[in-house]
Amino acid sequence: MDRFARPEPALPVPPQVRAQLAARFGLFGIRTAVLLIRAGVRDSATLAAELTQRSGLAELRSVLDVQFAQRADQLKAHSRWSHWARMPATQRGTAVDRLLPRVRALLADVHGFAELPLLGRLRSGELPLPPRESAELHRLLGGSGVAARPRPRLPADADAATVRAAARDAVRRRRLRARHPLVDRATAQACLAGACSGEGIADRFPEPPTTPLTGIPPSRRCPHHSHHFCCGEPMSAVFRISAPGRRRPRRYRRNGRR
């Protein structure tokens, strides 16, 4: 670095400019820029775009956005719940003490935080998965966004039934992959975590409640068998309860006789 910015030997670029370039880009960036210029890059805009792409800055911004910015509410809530769970024992009998069981239950759901290290392992290539399955698991764990529809790779206007079906299909495939006899333990755990994420997506879009059965209209009275059920007689007119749990048919008069 010092040799690059020293005044001798005499170069077309002044020492002050060379020092600024070294401080801003580093020797690696300067070497990359020289190689790009030799490869045919002639304008500053194209050179800046190429250097940005090779620096990994865009990927870093994406990681920060997905893992921290989009999960900001979850991280803040977890921090607040942890603070409530560490309340001293002097709060016995107060409203804080009554809220502690609910806070502990919320802290037990740590799947959102379990997704973060798995995303890092997928990016580093630690899990021996094919590229297609790795990309699918990366999306399912929220690597491309924590919203429900981008995870199963659906458009933003997909209806609830489509999202629910896609999430259940992803859960089925992840569980099948985890049960494969040749899958190592780390990969199986990652696949099970992806299945858990898919189940969470499906739970966001529950199936609509079924329509309750409407009342069955009574049938017309039969002119020949007025004591039958087909005549529309209520059950109490045909049966009378003689003992708990027992029913006995009533006797009807027929032709003046019992």
Side-chain angles (χ1 to χ4, degrees):
M1 188 77 68
D2 296 335
R3 292 176 59 188
F4 181 78
R6 66 185 181 182
E8 65 276 350
L11 295 173
V13 181
Q16 296 81 4
V17 178
R18 281 181 275 155
Q20 293 176 1
L21 291 174
R24 183 172 183 178
F25 298 102
L27 293 181
F28 176 78
I30 293 173
R31 292 192 187 100
T32 305
V34 171
L35 292 175
L36 290 172
I37 292 173
R38 289 177 179 176
V41 176
R42 291 293 179 265
D43 56 288
S44 60
T46 306
L47 180 61
E50 292 290 340
L51 289 176
T52 302
Q53 181 181 359
R54 285 165 172 78
S55 66
L57 184 60
E59 184 179 359
L60 177 61
R61 288 176 177 173
S62 176
V63 171
L64 293 176
D65 176 63
V66 171
Q67 296 195 3
F68 298 101
Q70 297 187 21
R71 301 175 189 262
D73 295 339
Q74 185 180 9
L75 295 173
K76 292 178 182 178
H78 188 271
S79 177
R80 188 63 57 87
W81 295 336
S82 301
H83 174 72
W84 277 77
R86 291 192 299 267
M87 284 290 181
T90 57
Q91 304 291 336
R92 298 292 183 184
T94 62
V96 176
D97 188 38
R98 292 191 294 270
L99 287 175
L100 282 179
R102 176 60 176 167
V103 171
R104 293 193 182 99
L106 292 172
L107 287 174
D109 185 12
V110 294
H111 178 69
F113 296 92
E115 293 177 341
L116 298 179
L118 289 175
L119 289 173
R121 299 181 67 180
L122 285 171
R123 291 190 185 95
S124 61
E126 295 183 18
L127 300 177
L129 286 172
R132 182 176 179 180
E133 292 190 13
S134 179
E136 179 184 357
L137 184 58
H138 183 268
R139 289 193 307 270
L140 195 60
L141 292 172
S144 300
V146 298
R149 289 174 175 83
R151 293 197 179 200
R153 203 173 184 178
L154 293 175
D157 57 349
D159 57 347
T162 303
V163 177
R164 186 169 54 250
R168 289 176 178 176
D169 182 66
V171 170
R172 178 186 59 82
R173 286 185 280 107
R174 291 301 97 203
R175 292 194 179 278
L176 288 176
R177 184 66 176 178
R179 290 196 297 264
H180 197 279
L182 300 180
V183 170
D184 60 291
R185 183 176 181 181
T187 305
Q189 291 178 350
C191 292
L192 290 177
C196 186
S197 299
E199 291 173 351
I201 297 172
D203 291 340
R204 298 185 195 179
F205 300 89
E207 295 184 1
T210 57
T211 305
L213 294 176
T214 58
I216 301 177
S219 58
R220 296 181 179 179
R221 182 177 299 276
C222 178
H224 304 290
H225 306 90
S226 60
H227 63 280
H228 287 176
F229 286 105
C230 64
C231 306
E233 293 286 350
M235 186 174 291
S236 59
V238 182
F239 289 95
R240 65 182 178 88
I241 301 176
S242 58
R246 296 179 57 190
R247 294 171 183 258
R248 186 173 62 183
R250 297 180 60 180
R251 296 180 181 178
Y252 287 86
R253 292 179 178 274
R254 184 175 297 175
N255 299 328
R257 295 178 298 176
R258 287 186 178 273

